[in-house]
């Protein structure tokens, strides 16, 4: 298959993604307006930043097999597997945790397998070293020629793909906020915004490495750090895929108020953080905040509670 044959437009993505104003007194009482950027509606199998990050990488793969990485509940693995099924190319997922090979597949990994993805489970030390050329060569040796896409899909191509998200938000909001896993969406979002706008990242991971990751991605994608952006790392709820009863209660309340099902990992953490920041006066009165909805409610898992 050639890159010309890999026509992603036949998947009919909804672009630009819709904007949805939200009337919420938790923002209104502080003079802040909230709008939702419904990237979750771009495509049912490749929602949100998964589409924006994967699309340029899939075009570069040109129909070759794609090998990529993720944890047991990785939405990136699911989207890659779905793209392989829809567009007719082979997918291989390197999954963190060799012990999972001897257990029944969870719903996320079962969906990957049903979409034809070959799953290989590796121990955590190997997974951490996946960027080492020798380790990567060992992983690739069993699968022949592949296009390697990093964990979360975040590389220079992905950051370039996410600039369109920023461009779609020009003139819409003063602050564009997104939940961050690996930093690729924030890197591109900030680069695509107008100079008068600011991008805000809310990490879902414990630790302070994301700022450097975003700078490295922007340098690889654009030659230098780009745009006005910042990270607020106070609202990660203990690390990747961790949630709490408090967070689930917040998501349920948001759904009751606004009729929008909220994905519990990324989107709920983002909206919770924005509500807290509005209450702290972090946004001057008159500020419009656009929250990027990067995934749908089907991404949440009982196992992540």
């Amino acid at each position: 298959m050639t890159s010309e044959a890999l026509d992603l437009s036949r998947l009919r993505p909804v672009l630009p993604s819709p904007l949805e104003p939200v009337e919420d007194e938790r923002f209104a009482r502080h003079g802040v307006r909230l709008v939702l950027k419904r990237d979750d509606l771009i495509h049912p199998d490749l929602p949100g930043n998964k589409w924006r990050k994967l699309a340029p990488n899939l075009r570069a793969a040109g129909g070759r097999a794609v090998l990529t990485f993720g944890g047991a509940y990785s939405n990136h693995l699911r989207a890659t597997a779905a793209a392989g099924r829809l567009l007719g190319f082979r997918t291989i997922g390197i999954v963190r945790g060799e012990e999972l090979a001897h257990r029944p597949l969870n719903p996320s990994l079962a969906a990957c397998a049903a979409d034809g993805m070959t799953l290989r489970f590796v121990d955590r030390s190997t997974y951490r070293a996946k960027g080492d050329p020798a380790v990567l060569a060992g992983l690739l040796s069993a699968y022949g020629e592949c296009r390697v896409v990093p964990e979360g899909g975040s590389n220079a191509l992905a950051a370039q793909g996410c600039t369109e998200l920023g461009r779609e938000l020009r003139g819409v909001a003063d602050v564009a906020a997104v939940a961050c896993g690996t930093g690729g969406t924030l890197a591109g979002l900030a680069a695509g915004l107008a100079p008068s706008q600011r991008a805000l990242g809310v990490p879902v991971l414990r630790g302070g490495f994301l700022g450097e990751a975003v700078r490295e991605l922007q340098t690889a994608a654009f030659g230098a750090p780009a745009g006005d952006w910042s990270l607020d790392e106070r609202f990660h709820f203990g690390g990747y895929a961790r949630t709490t009863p408090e967070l689930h209660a917040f998501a349920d309340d948001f759904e009751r108020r606004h009729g929008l099902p909220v994905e519990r990992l990324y989107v709920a953490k983002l909206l919770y953080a924005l509500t807290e920041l509005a209450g702290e006066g972090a946004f001057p009165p008159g500020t419009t905040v656009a929250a990027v909805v990067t995934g749908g409610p089907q991404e949440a898992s009982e196992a992540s509670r």
Side-chain angles (χ1 to χ4, degrees), residues 200-203 230-235 277 280:
L200 172 65
V202 176
S230 61
L231 289 161
D232 194 311
E233 302 192 56
R234 293 176 292 161
F235 303 102
L277 289 168
E280 293 174 5

Side-chain angles (χ1 to χ4, degrees), residues 117-128:
M117 175 174 274
T118 299
L119 299 175
R120 178 171 175 181
F121 301 90
V122 299
D123 63 83
R124 283 163 170 74
S125 62
T126 299
Y127 192 88
R128 283 193 298 271

Side-chain angles (χ1 to χ4, degrees), residues 106-195:
N106 66 38
S108 293
L109 294 178
C112 291
D115 280 338
M117 175 174 274
T118 299
L119 299 175
R120 178 171 175 181
F121 301 90
V122 299
D123 63 83
R124 283 163 170 74
S125 62
T126 299
Y127 192 88
R128 283 193 298 271
K130 59 187 177 295
D132 182 277
V135 173
L136 183 58
L139 294 173
L140 286 169
S141 63
Y143 304 109
E145 184 182 7
C146 296
R147 175 80 181 188
V148 177
V149 176
E151 182 178 19
S154 288
N155 57 11
L157 284 174
Q160 291 165 3
C162 289
T163 59
E164 192 61 30
L165 171 60
R167 295 188 187 102
E168 290 176 19
L169 286 169
R170 288 186 177 186
V172 171
D174 304 291
V175 177
V178 65
C180 298
T182 51
T185 304
L186 178 62
L189 168 65
L193 292 171

Side-chain angles (χ1 to χ4, degrees), residues 37-241:
K37 179 64 168 164
R38 295 295 303 276
D39 265 20
D40 57 312
L41 300 179
I42 291 176
H43 191 277
D45 292 304
L46 287 82
N49 60 350
K50 303 301 177 287
W51 175 276
R52 297 188 189 274
K53 293 160 77 175
L54 270 176
N57 277 288
L58 297 183
R59 292 190 186 100
R64 286 178 292 162
V66 171
L67 181 144
T68 192
F69 305 85
Y73 290 93
S74 169
N75 295 321
H76 167 67
L77 288 183
R78 287 182 63 171
T80 303
R85 169 177 56 83
L86 292 166
L87 295 168
F89 60 87
R90 189 164 59 105
T91 58
I92 301 99
I94 307 300
V95 185
R96 180 179 62 247
E98 63 180 346
E99 72 279 2
L100 299 173
H102 309 294
R103 300 176 185 173
L105 296 179
N106 66 38
S108 293
L109 294 178
C112 291
D115 280 338
M117 175 174 274
T118 299
L119 299 175
R120 178 171 175 181
F121 301 90
V122 299
D123 63 83
R124 283 163 170 74
S125 62
T126 299
Y127 192 88
R128 283 193 298 271
K130 59 187 177 295
D132 182 277
V135 173
L136 183 58
L139 294 173
L140 286 169
S141 63
Y143 304 109
E145 184 182 7
C146 296
R147 175 80 181 188
V148 177
V149 176
E151 182 178 19
S154 288
N155 57 11
L157 284 174
Q160 291 165 3
C162 289
T163 59
E164 192 61 30
L165 171 60
R167 295 188 187 102
E168 290 176 19
L169 286 169
R170 288 186 177 186
V172 171
D174 304 291
V175 177
V178 65
C180 298
T182 51
T185 304
L186 178 62
L189 168 65
L193 292 171
S196 60
Q197 296 172 293
R198 176 167 64 92
L200 172 65
V202 176
V204 297
L205 300 167
R206 184 189 296 277
F209 68 90
L210 262 180
E212 185 58 32
V214 173
R215 285 186 287 272
E216 289 178 357
L217 283 165
Q218 288 192 325
T219 300
F222 315 115
D228 181 4
W229 59 270
S230 61
L231 289 161
D232 194 311
E233 302 192 56
R234 293 176 292 161
F235 303 102
H236 52 61
F237 287 88
Y240 180 74

